[in-house]
Amino acid sequence: RGFFPSTVLSMSRALVLATCLTVARALHAPTPPCRHALRVTSPRLATKKKVSKKGGARGFGGGAAKQAVKELTPEQLQWRDLKEWVASSGGAADAVRLTDCGGGLRGLKAARDLAKGDEILRIPRSIILDVERAEASPVSGVWRSSGGALPGYLKLGLALLYEVRRGAASDLLPYLAMLPTQDEFAAGGGPAAMWSDDELALTECAHLIDFAKRRRGQSRGEGVPALQPDALAASWAECGLPGEPPGRDELSWAVGAVTSRAYGVGSGSGLVPVVDMANHDGRTPQHTAKGLEEDGRSFVVLATEPIRKGTQVCLSYGELPNCVLLPQFGFVLASLDAPPDLPLVDFTPCLREAEGAAGGAALLLSLAEDGLLVREGDGSISCWQAAGASLQVALLNLHEAGALNGGGEEEAAAASAPAAARHAWRRYRDLLQGTLAGYSTGVAEDRRRLGLGGAAPTASDARGVVVDAGGAAVTPLPPPNGASRVAAEGEAAAA
């Protein structure tokens, strides 16, 4: 889900704060858009007496009986309008209702018992805001004037802002009314990419901080000539688009809404009304299936198993680890049933050294081609590599080639294979320990402060976790048993 398919909070105070940010500020999207924070309205359900007109009563009583009726909140009215709009467009959303799913998080629940194979939602392609629709919109002039080289998430963000500015003239108005406003998004917390530098710093997770800051820059159009303030203002006016050209904060809000709500639609992605209000719970297998029908006319959601009335209807956002879920969607999964996060280490020292060595850059790319090193989206070698056998083999190759010897006696020692292996292992250990040094506490201390008990992990215990869990999770908010930190600390202890 979204455009960015592709550590540990160790300090207990930061863990508690981040937990509060995740729960109390409702960081489970879309306010941030996966689990949606309920808008507070008062009263939620107000009742009042309504007297019928005289003379219209049936039976023997001449006076009309007073009836207590429930008055809908603004959000409930918007939900009713949204469902009616979907139905009038040829779709169906009557199998679900929007409701509080606990903890101030809104989501979809089954409005009736659903059997396996039942259709839960049908959303016509005509009311989906996807890249194809954005390309056909007048706002496409903004990127066409600069050659059209703009990522899909930025195109959708601009298309969303264009529809918002059209107001009542937009045929997407019922959907737009359900989106969180920029102020609501900010007040609700949002994905970690929208956090302040001070908030990110409290996580002590260098990988999360780096990833979130890069995502923040991307959402604001940094480095994109067509989206610099002066250029955007000029193209917005030249295209005759409504309202003022969006500023960077507004663009960031729109892109945040897109990347935390969008699903795959055709060859790209799109905002799918109602569907994007379903939460993700990481269960395997999912109790729903989703996608475009073969003719491409509707996006449908089906039940893959019986779903009882009142049960929350969830969708899968993808097999994404917590280190992606938190920056992109604003939540983490506490269950170990979730896709495990790999223990990531800061590879920067070795990367810079190898890049400066003769033939080092070419060797790095070759190791990436062999799947031993991870690349960034632009093809460059990532500064963050997954701990484990692949990284160990990559380090050994670099040492044997003389790209990580550092000169002097170490370079001579590397001439023998056993010496190169020992040196590579030491560098691997140093990478792990250097990464862990960025945290003020270990998992044992975190568990003690949280009242979870448990002793510090031993090397053998931790290595068992790594083998059995396929790398175990190193997450911004580790699961209650601390297995994530066990993996990283155990790898370092074993090294």
Side-chain angles (χ1 to χ4, degrees), residues 25-50:
R25 288 171 25 176
L27 289 186
H28 209 190
T31 316
C34 319
R35 291 188 179 175
H36 319 257
L38 283 166
R39 298 177 185 174
V40 179
T41 54
S42 181
R44 286 291 297 168
L45 284 175
T47 59
K48 64 178 182 179
K49 302 291 185 179
K50 184 177 181 180

Side-chain angles (χ1 to χ4, degrees), residues 125 132 264-269 292:
R125 185 76 177 270
E132 182 178 315
V265 178
S267 60
S269 294
L292 278 180

Side-chain angles (χ1 to χ4, degrees), residues 63-133:
K66 296 182 179 180
Q67 296 181 349
V69 297
K70 292 182 178 180
E71 183 178 283
L72 298 179
T73 66
E75 185 177 67
Q76 290 169 331
L77 289 171
Q78 290 172 345
W79 170 246
R80 184 192 64 187
D81 292 344
L82 180 65
K83 291 202 302 179
E84 291 177 351
W85 170 65
V86 169
S88 67
S89 301
D94 59 328
V96 296
R97 58 188 177 88
L98 181 66
T99 186
D100 185 349
C101 294
L105 305 175
R106 73 179 184 179
L108 302 178
K109 288 188 177 181
R112 58 176 180 265
D113 288 342
L114 299 168
K116 180 178 179 180
D118 279 358
E119 185 175 286
I120 303 174
L121 293 170
R122 172 174 293 273
I123 309 300
R125 185 76 177 270
S126 61
I127 60 174
I128 294 175
L129 180 57
D130 56 12
V131 175
E132 182 178 315
R133 178 173 178 143

Side-chain angles (χ1 to χ4, degrees), residues 4 23 33 83 89 113 177 198 211 274 288 293 313 340 397 454 474 494:
F4 300 92
V23 177
K83 291 202 302 179
S89 301
D113 288 342
D198 288 342
F211 186 27
V274 185
T288 57
E293 288 189 311
V313 176
N397 276 267
V474 173

Side-chain angles (χ1 to χ4, degrees), residues 5 16 36 112 147 160 194 243 318 328 352 359 419 472:
V16 173
H36 319 257
R112 58 176 180 265
L160 177 59
M194 301 182 71
Q328 182 169 340
R352 299 293 174 254

